[in-house]
Amino acid sequence: METRFLELTEYKKNGKIGPEDEAKLQEAAGILRAGGLVAFPTETVYGLGGNGLLKEASRSIYAAKGRPSDNPLILHISDMKELEPITREIPHRARTLAEHFWPGPLTMILNKAEIVPLETTGGLSTVAVRMPEHEVARRLIALAGVPVAAPSANTSGRPSPTTAAHVREDLEGKIEAILDGGPSGIGLESTIVDLSGEEPVLLRPGAITAEMLEKALGERVLLDPALEKPLDPSVHPKAPGMKYRHYAPKAPMVIIQGKEGNFAGEELLRVEEAVDRQVDRSLEDGKRTALICSDESLSYYQKRYEGPLAKGQLILRTMGTRNREESIAHNLFSVLREMDEVQAEYIVAEGVNTEAIGYAVMNRMKKAAAQQVIYV
Ligand code: AMP
Ligand code: MG
């Protein structure tokens, strides 16, 4: 299939949908209504959209991504009015969270209505719903006139796409169209909170933190046990960890994390030393090695590894600044994708402070590293 590449030039230039963009959005909406697939920008990552009420469209999404069909999709809406028809009831908590955080990077799990096919929900009786903030996403959904089922627009297992070029790498020839609206702002997938049970449960951390949800709800939000599996600090990177990898570059990856997680003073020195040990060993093994750090430690590693960097044996990349974990969230998936491009054979990454959005960043990094973390 030939993939239409629809660049929203006016939106990319001045942040507003222009008349030419609007025509391209109309075309994309038509594709969605007819059961085809369109990748589109959102403030979190690019989504791979299909008509969420058509089981055939959901099947096509799973096929294009190579994703197991028991992994449910998120339905995207553009207005509160669109929530009622797809849910059995709207609990009070959902209204409160919608008032606080919609449109925005929050997905809520609710009990589904009949019209939502089981193909969309991975066979579950619940449905995940989000109202994105991105103007292009909202306009597309409104024009389509149906809830848009959309997982991240990547091949299953690869890092999520934060640019149209990433989507093209993975899905060109497999979907009808790609809408290019420039890079995604946040760079990490939405926060997911389950509101279908007795108590609210955080299933996936994101830019909206558990603390923010608790503040809005005025009650505790539980963490899904899978998020907080106590990791044995003595786990050696070569030991088999939890084998589940996701968001992952092809090469094995290890994270060096400070025990206190604040990356200051003594702890920063311990992290740098432990990174050095890992990198030295990998270089000695003759492996093309990648080192992922932060702006703050970049010049240290540049000096320490002048030789291997000049010879191209070591690839050094920064994810962003520790003063603003948002910058790291924004760049993380691009950097992880680049690891495949540069054909890294072993990746050593500094961890990040797990306050606020840093918790979501570490969650994605740990999955990319198959939970291989060394605490120092
Ligand atoms: P993605 O769209 O690639 O960001 O992935 C969608 C995420 O939403 C996956 O982690 C799913 O497991 C989760 N999800 C979607 N629907 C549900 C649901 N009904 N219950 C629990 N998790 C869900
Ligand atoms: Mg995904």
Side-chain angles (χ1 to χ4, degrees):
M1 145 181 357
E2 195 179 329
T3 300
R4 296 267 295 140
F5 202 73
L6 306 171
E7 188 180 9
L8 304 177
T9 42
E10 295 151 314
Y11 180 82
K12 281 171 79 174
K13 211 183 290 161
N14 44 39
K16 272 212 151 16
I17 294 172
E20 280 173 34
D21 296 339
E22 179 72 13
K24 290 172 185 162
L25 282 163
Q26 290 276 9
E27 180 181 343
I31 294 172
L32 288 177
R33 271 196 307 276
L37 304 187
V38 178
F40 62 97
T42 83
E43 71 275 20
T44 57
V45 301
Y46 269 70
L48 173 56
N51 182 339
L53 302 182
L54 279 183
K55 55 181 183 230
E56 295 76 18
S58 291
R59 285 200 193 115
S60 311
I61 290 176
Y62 289 112
K65 274 181 70 87
R67 172 170 173 155
S69 61
D70 57 355
N71 196 348
L73 309 174
I74 296 172
L75 283 188
H76 293 70
I77 59 174
S78 65
D79 191 283
M80 259 328 252
K81 288 198 300 280
E82 299 158 25
L83 183 59
E84 218 152 291
I86 54 177
T87 53
R88 216 169 59 203
E89 75 276 306
I90 305 174
H92 191 67
R93 286 175 180 129
R95 291 194 194 280
T96 304
L97 292 182
E99 270 163 34
H100 276 83
F101 302 113
W102 277 3
L106 177 69
T107 298
M108 301 190 229
I109 310 289
L110 303 167
N111 288 310
K112 83 171 190 73
E114 271 307 298
I115 59 161
V116 180
L118 289 168
E119 279 76 3
T120 298
T121 65
L124 298 171
S125 60
T126 52
V127 62
V129 191
R130 173 163 110 84
M131 189 195 293
E133 186 172 22
H134 200 291
E135 203 191 329
V136 169
R138 299 258 300 287
R139 187 74 190 136
L140 175 68
I141 299 161
L143 287 172
V146 290
V148 174
S152 50
N154 53 307
T155 300
S156 189
R158 290 207 79 199
S160 296
T162 53
T163 66
H166 293 163
V167 179
R168 207 168 193 171
E169 270 169 35
D170 285 12
L171 297 176
E172 181 153 35
K174 296 181 177 166
I175 62 177
E176 275 74 8
I178 300 172
L179 275 173
D180 178 1
S184 293
I186 296 171
L188 293 184
E189 305 85 347
S190 59
T191 303
I192 303 183
V193 63
D194 186 353
L195 300 178
S196 68
E198 294 277 297
E199 290 180 281
V201 183
L202 184 77
L203 299 187
R204 177 170 75 184
I208 293 171
T209 63
E211 295 75 40
M212 288 160 75
L213 297 174
E214 287 181 337
K215 203 165 163 222
L217 291 170
E219 65 180 325
R220 263 192 66 197
V221 171
L222 304 176
L223 297 183
D224 188 84
L227 290 175
E228 286 298 289
K229 284 220 175 79
L231 286 164
D232 181 1
S234 66
V235 168
H236 190 273
K238 298 260 164 70
M242 295 158 55
K243 276 298 129 203
Y244 179 61
R245 283 184 99 211
H246 196 161
Y247 313 111
K250 293 188 181 104
M253 170 166 158
V254 64
I255 302 168
I256 312 297
Q257 173 72 326
K259 273 195 198 102
E260 284 102 53
N262 56 16
F263 291 86
E266 283 285 302
E267 184 174 279
L268 187 55
L269 291 179
R270 287 201 306 275
V271 168
E272 287 171 348
E273 273 169 25
V275 168
D276 287 345
R277 276 197 298 278
Q278 288 289 318
V279 170
D280 289 344
R281 176 143 44 104
S282 174
L283 289 172
E284 273 161 32
D285 289 349
K287 289 196 181 118
R288 195 169 156 75
T289 306
L291 199 174
I292 302 177
C293 66
S294 58
D295 293 353
E296 284 73 14
S297 48
L298 185 64
S299 64
Y300 166 79
Y301 295 119
Q302 272 167 342
K303 233 176 264 149
R304 172 81 164 68
Y305 290 106
E306 222 178 323
L309 282 168
K311 285 187 220 136
Q313 293 158 337
L314 182 72
I315 297 114
L316 179 61
R317 291 288 180 275
T318 170
M319 298 181 283
T321 170
R322 293 195 179 285
N323 294 326
R324 238 173 43 85
E325 259 77 23
E326 286 80 5
S327 69
I328 296 181
H330 179 79
N331 296 323
L332 177 67
F333 287 144
S334 266
V335 172
L336 290 179
R337 274 182 175 259
E338 206 192 334
M339 294 296 109
D340 290 347
E341 259 162 56
V342 300
Q343 297 181 318
E345 293 171 312
Y346 191 64
I347 304 165
V348 184
E350 290 183 346
V352 301
N353 185 321
T354 53
E355 291 289 304
I357 197 172
Y359 182 68
V361 172
M362 260 312 265
N363 168 268
R364 306 308 192 275
M365 287 183 75
K366 286 200 286 204
K367 289 193 175 188
Q371 309 293 330
Q372 301 302 304
V373 185
I374 299 174
Y375 292 87
V376 293

